[in-house]
Amino acid sequence: MSRRALTLMVAGFLVLALGVTGALMKVPYVVLSPGPTENTLGDHDKKPVITITGHETFPTSGALRLVTVAYKGGPDSRIDLMTALRGWVDPTVAVVPEETIFPKSQTQEQVEEQNTAEMTNSQDSATAAALSELKIPFGSVVTVVSASKGMPAEGKLQKGDEINSVDGKPVPDVESVAQTVKSHKPGDELIFNITRAGTKQDVAVKTVAGPAGKSMVGVTMQAKYKFPFTVNISVGDVGGPSAGLMFSLGIVDKLTPGEITGGKSIAGTGTITPEGQVGPIGGIAQKMVGARDAGATVFLTPADNCAEAVKAVPSGLRLVKADTLHDAVSALDALRTGKGAVPNCPSS
C-alpha cells in the first residue's frame, strides 16, 4: 500500500471516529414529541379516569381526550447529538434548550415533582370550575403547602394547616391571605387562626420584608375545596396543569343528561381556573399531532394559543377557540346540534 493511500485511509478512519464521537456527544437539549392521550370519559388501567360518588351521573359517549407532550433528555439523562439532529428534521417534534423545560435553579427531580403538584391542583380547579358551570355550590379553605426554611413561618405554620383568618380577618382564598399579610409593615406580628388536625388554634408569626419591600411570612398555600360530593381523577403518570379544561368537560358531561360530544372524538388542552377561565399551554404543535393520531376531529384550543396553533394544525383537525369552560361547553353544544356559532381559531 502506498504512503498516500495509507494516509487517506488513516484520515478517513479519523474522520469516521470523530463523526461517531460527535454524534454520541451529549448535548443540553430536550426533544418534545406527541405524547399519549387519555379519554376523560373512559378508563385508565381498567379504572374510570373520572369517578363521581355521592351525586347522580349520566351515560356518556364519544371521547374527551386530554393530550400530552413526551420529552426525552434533561440534566439527568441528556440526549446525544444524533438524537437532537433527528428531532430537528422531524416536523412533528421540537428540539428546545434544556433550560426551557428544566430551569437551572431546579433539579430535574424538582421539576417533575412540581409537575405532579400542578396536576393535582388542576384536578381540584377543574372540579371547582365544573361545579361553578353547573351552579352547584361548594366551599373552600386555604391550606398551607409548605413553609420556607429561614422564614418566619418555618416551624409555626405546617403543611396541612387550614388558615381561617389572619389578624382577625376571614381569608376565603389564597390571594386574601397574601394581601392581608402585605398590608402590614415588615416586623409586625400577625395572628393566624388555623385548624390543625381538627383543632382550631392561634399562631403568632412575624412578617419580614419581601420583594419590593412588601411584607411576607414565607409560606406556600393552595385552595382546598370542600365539594358536596366526591370527584376522583386518575390518569397515571401525567403531570402539569394543561389537562384542566378536559377534566372539567368530562365532569360536566358525567353530571348532566345528554352526551356533550355527540359521539365524536374531541380533544383539547388548556389550564383552568376555579372560575372556569382557560389559560394557554406549551407544546401545542405536538399535542395537536397526538390528538389527530388518536382519531380526534375537533381540538379545543386556548384563545392565547390560537395564533400558534393555526400555523401547525394537522390536516383533518378543526380548531375551536376556548376562552372559558362555558365557551367550550357552548361550542360543543353548537357542534352537536348544528345550532349556534362555533368560535373557530382565526386563520390570521
Side-chain angles (χ1 to χ4, degrees), residues 254-277:
K254 285 176 174 282
L255 289 175
T256 52
E259 299 170 336
I260 199 171
T261 66
K264 293 182 178 179
S265 180
I266 310 292
T269 188
T271 63
I272 197 81
T273 67
E275 298 75 30
Q277 190 69 38

Side-chain angles (χ1 to χ4, degrees), residues 56-60 134 251-260:
E56 183 181 10
T57 58
F58 300 88
T60 61
L134 298 175
I251 295 167
V252 168
D253 200 7
K254 285 176 174 282
L255 289 175
T256 52
E259 299 170 336
I260 199 171

Side-chain angles (χ1 to χ4, degrees), residues 80-91:
D80 56 47
L81 180 60
M82 184 59 70
T83 300
L85 291 172
R86 284 198 300 265
W88 272 313
V89 298
D90 187 340

